[in-house]
Amino acid sequence: MIHFPCSLHSVDRRTARGKSCVKFVPCENSPNLWPKMLNDGEAKELLAFLTLETRPDVKGQATGYILGLTANRDGCRYLGTKPDFLKALLALTKDKSLAIVKDCYHALINLSADETLHEPLVKEADVLPTLFQNLLNPEYMLSDRICTILTNLSRHEKTCKQMFQCMQEHDISLAKIVEIFCTEGFNKSASLHYLGPLLSNLTQLPETRQFILDKERCVVQRLLPYTQYEESTVRRGGVVGTLRNCCFDYIHHEWLLSDEVDILPFLLLPLAGPEELSEEENEGLPMDLQYLPEDKRREEDPDIRKMLVETLMLLTATKGGRQILKNKNVYPIMREYHKWEKEPQNDATCEKLIQGLIGDEPESGMENLMEVEIPEDVQKKLEELDVKEQEQIEKEQQELKAEAEKEQAQK
């Protein structure tokens, strides 16, 4: 007998790419790569060159030196103790030289990738108002760099809240961010793909989830097509992360699964392959998943696949959600996906979902798995099982890596 899992403790509200951040690494041939740390006198002298009035060639060497410092953690943390340097970098994003402006943005990307610098950047250097002002300008050439910095800064809840507060203070609505994200060609010089992970990060906050799940706004419906956006893994992953985080608010599950939103095909189609299902299995599926072609390909990014499965798991947290997924015949799609999936971590997540789809219903009073209070001793055992499972997954990943390296060597 297969029992339904008693909790969803293994699914957490993370950022779109699993707590990853983005960094810019200077070219290895750069003479400024890994420059030495500065003493107080040298720092004061260098800071004097980081102004809009400085001669361009001198200013270019100075910004290049700072960019080199940000290429490693020690350099970043040194600059984090020097808020005047952070302010100077922000001021120089208005320079007439595009090369200097790019150096400044790349340095800010590296600095924002270090969590310990979020507070100095947001509070002391006050970078957010300027970044948002430039982002909203459809003619600003370097908006993609801005999206990357904002995504890095919003990864953790504390600075995410500060960012949301800044948006409110400067009348920058979530509706405007979504509008820009969904408007193809809003900025002819920038793809703005990193607005996807930014939205995902912002859904750590209940205010953002409430906005996206507002039945009158149709925001979710606008985002759903991007789960299959072929041009960008970043945009695709950002939207899937946004949907996953929104599904933690279980009171909206039945609405999300209803015909009004119809989220299920957008989550299942990227996981579906070309395998031939029986006529009975096909007819039980949503229309978009019936009789898929022989060349149907699954989502190529393993992180996105994992988030898709986690989103489906969250939708099975309530009795109503489980029933809808069973009635929509989700199991055959996941059965075939499970056979195909090679990533150990994803395989384990899929097994948990399948257990929920074909297992017995929880006993009375435990139908909503997100409201179940887990006794402390049981929680401890679950955590121990999670650790063992993770160790096994890592072992299998190492074996797969070794096997791949062996095959490559034989070629």
Side-chain angles (χ1 to χ4, degrees):
M1 179 183 296
I2 301 175
H3 295 283
F4 196 84
C6 63
S7 76
L8 295 172
H9 66 284
S10 57
V11 181
D12 58 359
R13 185 179 288 116
R14 294 164 296 170
T15 50
R17 308 292 295 171
K19 290 292 186 189
S20 63
C21 62
V22 183
K23 290 197 73 173
F24 172 83
V25 180
C27 171
E28 290 182 2
N29 296 324
S30 168
N32 292 315
L33 187 60
W34 316 120
K36 69 181 182 68
M37 296 301 160
L38 306 169
N39 61 40
D40 289 345
E42 291 169 332
K44 186 177 180 180
E45 185 179 1
L46 180 61
L47 183 62
F49 296 139
L50 296 172
T51 68
L52 293 169
E53 295 76 25
T54 302
R55 207 174 69 199
D57 58 332
V58 176
K59 186 166 36 182
Q61 288 186 358
T63 55
Y65 193 94
I66 295 295
L67 176 58
L69 278 176
T70 67
N72 66 84
R73 187 182 68 174
D74 290 341
C76 284
R77 296 192 173 180
Y78 168 78
L79 291 171
T81 65
K82 306 286 184 183
D84 286 344
F85 278 96
L86 305 181
K87 294 174 184 176
L89 286 173
L90 183 65
L92 285 174
T93 60
K94 297 179 181 179
D95 198 84
K96 294 179 180 178
S97 166
L98 183 60
I100 288 174
V101 174
K102 284 183 177 179
D103 273 358
C104 292
Y105 273 122
H106 289 152
L108 289 169
I109 288 172
N110 289 349
L111 291 164
S112 66
D114 188 328
E115 182 190 355
T116 64
L117 272 76
H118 287 186
E119 194 75 11
L121 285 166
V122 172
K123 285 293 187 183
E124 297 180 51
D126 196 24
V127 300
L128 294 177
T130 299
L131 294 179
F132 274 114
Q133 181 184 4
N134 291 336
L135 175 64
L136 297 179
N137 180 357
E139 297 181 359
Y140 195 74
M141 291 181 60
L142 301 176
S143 287
D144 279 336
R145 273 83 168 179
I146 290 172
C147 291
T148 305
I149 298 166
L150 292 174
T151 296
N152 283 347
L153 290 175
S154 59
R155 286 168 56 231
H156 299 280
E157 188 176 6
K158 183 177 180 181
T159 42
C160 191
K161 287 180 177 178
Q162 292 169 344
M163 183 177 294
F164 187 78
Q165 183 179 351
C166 172
M167 291 171 65
Q168 290 181 312
E169 290 172 355
H170 291 82
D171 199 26
I172 302 164
S173 66
L174 286 167
K176 183 62 177 177
I177 300 298
V178 170
E179 184 66 31
I180 292 173
F181 180 72
C182 295
T183 302
E184 189 173 350
F186 171 82
N187 187 321
K188 298 287 191 295
S189 304
S191 67
L192 305 179
H193 293 324
Y194 270 94
L195 283 181
L198 174 61
L199 278 173
S200 178
N201 292 350
L202 287 170
T203 54
Q204 294 178 82
L205 308 178
E207 297 91 341
T208 308
R209 298 196 301 277
Q210 183 179 356
F211 165 79
I212 290 175
L213 294 167
D214 188 329
K215 296 180 181 180
E216 304 300 319
R217 293 181 181 272
C218 295
V219 177
V220 171
Q221 292 91 325
R222 295 186 70 182
L223 295 177
L224 286 176
Y226 291 105
T227 62
Q228 299 168 75
Y229 187 80
E230 294 183 357
E231 286 78 3
S232 170
T233 302
V234 170
R235 182 176 286 250
R236 213 163 57 238
V239 167
V240 173
T242 299
L243 296 173
R244 181 196 59 186
N245 285 354
C246 287
C247 284
F248 277 90
D249 292 356
Y250 60 84
I251 60 171
H252 298 283
H253 283 184
E254 292 191 39
W255 174 69
L256 289 169
L257 291 163
S258 71
D259 291 340
E260 190 175 348
V261 179
D262 200 22
I263 193 175
L264 196 54
F266 294 94
L267 300 176
L268 282 178
L269 203 54
L271 299 173
E275 295 84 7
E276 187 174 344
L277 302 179
S278 70
E279 187 171 339
E280 182 181 357
E281 287 174 333
N282 267 303
E283 289 180 355
L285 286 166
M287 188 66 69
D288 292 342
L289 287 122
Q290 294 182 9
Y291 302 101
L292 296 175
E294 294 180 359
D295 60 351
K296 171 67 175 70
R297 294 185 302 169
R298 289 183 170 90
E299 167 60 53
E300 61 185 24
D301 187 279
D303 291 335
I304 297 178
R305 293 199 302 271
K306 188 169 188 288
M307 288 192 291
L308 287 163
V309 176
E310 287 175 341
T311 307
L312 290 166
M313 276 184 65
L314 289 168
L315 290 170
T316 63
T318 58
K319 184 175 182 179
R322 286 192 297 276
Q323 198 57 53
I324 292 172
L325 265 64
K326 290 177 181 180
N327 292 343
K328 295 285 187 179
N329 215 22
V330 170
Y331 169 67
I333 297 290
M334 299 313 301
R335 179 192 66 205
E336 298 304 318
Y337 167 72
H338 182 247
K339 293 177 184 176
W340 173 88
E341 180 60 77
K342 298 296 187 292
E343 290 286 335
Q345 187 118 12
N346 293 6
D347 194 46
T349 307
C350 184
E351 286 176 4
K352 293 174 184 176
L353 173 60
I354 289 175
Q355 187 177 4
L357 292 172
I358 65 177
D360 296 335
E361 274 291 311
E363 60 186 73
S364 179
M366 300 182 68
E367 292 91 345
N368 186 337
L369 302 180
M370 298 186 82
E371 287 187 333
V372 173
E373 291 188 13
I374 306 173
E376 189 174 337
D377 59 327
V378 176
Q379 179 68 34
K380 187 175 180 180
K381 289 179 181 178
L382 289 171
E383 289 171 357
E384 290 172 355
L385 287 171
D386 273 350
V387 170
K388 290 180 181 178
E389 181 184 277
Q390 186 61 37
E391 290 173 350
Q392 180 62 29
I393 287 169
E394 289 174 0
K395 181 182 177 183
E396 291 176 11
Q397 286 174 330
Q398 290 174 356
E399 291 173 353
L400 285 172
K401 183 180 179 181
E403 188 177 329
E405 289 174 350
K406 183 178 179 181
E407 290 178 359
Q408 187 66 28
Q410 291 174 346
K411 291 180 181 179

